[in-house]
Amino acid sequence: MNAPYAKVYVIDGKGHLLGRLASVVAKLLLNGQKVVVVRCEEMNVSGSFFRNKIKLQNYLRKRCLSNPSRGPFHFRAPSRIFYRALRGMIPHKTSRGEAALGRLKVFEGVPPPYDKMKRMVIPRALRAINLKPGRKFTTLGRMSTEVGWKYQDVVANLEKKRKVRSQAFYERKKAIANIRAKAIGVKEAELAPIKEQLVQFGY
């Protein structure tokens, strides 16, 4: 992905396919870009819920036989499931890969200060574009809930409050824009001679 450099990319995970998004984010991280992925619980995985649940349970059975505390460690939270998928696309045991993972942040919901920052989507990873209509898919949050993630209600309540605040901010912003447009319209006649002079000076 030939993306321009930005201070930080804030990506909204809702409606993205997990693997496709992970591959794009991995490349950005390896290129030195800081990336924040929010709303990981709303990511999608292709295939039916039942099929994906069986695959996840099969993964959960894998452990060190002599000492299970050695790993592998089975993350339950949607953000950590995405993190682990992405980690497999990065040489995480090298210093370069470790530095790349250090530039990544993943969250359920949209915590501050990212709730007031412009969020972007990755078109090449969107489910609506990449998955044929009618194909089955499941949500990462639902899968996580089935295997022991306990914070789905907490995240849902926080998201509900955030959306109310965002709507209030948007309405206030629209009202200020309308007042400004009316003020410009009222003063248009008075500013006309000044604008003509500015045009003469090349402005």
Side-chain angles (χ1 to χ4, degrees):
M1 180 180 173
N2 295 323
Y5 179 80
K7 193 173 182 182
V8 62
Y9 275 114
V10 182
I11 298 172
D12 188 352
K14 184 178 180 180
H16 288 77
L17 290 171
L18 184 143
R20 288 179 181 267
L21 180 61
S23 64
V24 173
V25 172
K27 196 64 181 173
L28 288 171
L29 294 170
L30 288 168
N31 286 339
Q33 182 67 61
K34 288 183 180 177
V35 181
V36 178
V37 183
V38 296
R39 289 215 285 185
C40 289
E41 77 282 0
E42 297 285 348
M43 278 185 201
N44 299 139
V45 181
S46 59
S48 68
F49 169 70
F50 183 68
R51 173 189 170 88
N52 281 307
K53 184 180 174 184
I54 288 173
K55 284 166 72 176
L56 188 57
Q57 286 174 336
N58 187 38
Y59 157 68
L60 292 177
R61 281 199 296 274
K62 290 177 170 57
R63 61 177 191 153
C64 178
L65 193 60
S66 60
N67 186 3
S69 64
R70 286 179 183 165
F73 304 107
H74 307 108
F75 299 123
R76 261 67 170 194
S79 60
R80 302 307 291 174
I81 291 173
F82 173 73
Y83 175 88
R84 199 174 193 284
L86 188 144
R87 193 187 72 176
M89 302 177 186
I90 284 176
H92 65 278
K93 292 185 180 180
T94 64
S95 56
R96 176 174 177 251
E98 192 179 344
L101 282 175
R103 290 189 284 271
L104 172 69
K105 290 182 181 177
V106 286
F107 298 102
E108 288 89 19
V110 189
Y114 307 110
D115 56 341
K116 291 185 172 65
M117 293 173 72
K118 190 173 179 66
R119 297 180 289 279
M120 63 183 291
V121 298
I122 308 293
R124 61 190 284 189
L126 285 171
R127 175 189 53 80
I129 293 172
N130 289 285
L131 206 62
K132 188 177 178 182
R135 296 292 189 205
K136 292 179 180 177
F137 65 92
T138 188
T139 308
L140 201 54
R142 188 184 174 195
M143 283 169 55
S144 295
T145 304
E146 288 289 318
V147 294
W149 183 53
K150 300 187 287 290
Y151 298 101
Q152 63 276 11
D153 294 332
V154 174
V155 171
N157 287 334
L158 289 171
E159 279 293 280
K160 198 181 290 182
K161 290 175 185 175
R162 179 189 65 81
K163 286 173 183 176
V164 169
R165 288 197 304 270
S166 295
Q167 185 64 29
F169 170 78
Y170 178 64
E171 295 297 335
R172 189 166 65 251
K173 185 179 174 184
K174 269 203 309 188
I176 291 168
N178 287 337
I179 291 167
R180 189 172 188 276
K182 284 178 184 175
I184 290 170
V186 168
K187 294 292 181 180
E188 194 69 40
E190 293 178 26
L191 293 172
I194 298 169
K195 284 183 178 178
E196 286 175 11
Q197 288 179 354
L198 289 171
V199 168
Q200 291 173 3
F201 292 117
Y203 292 101

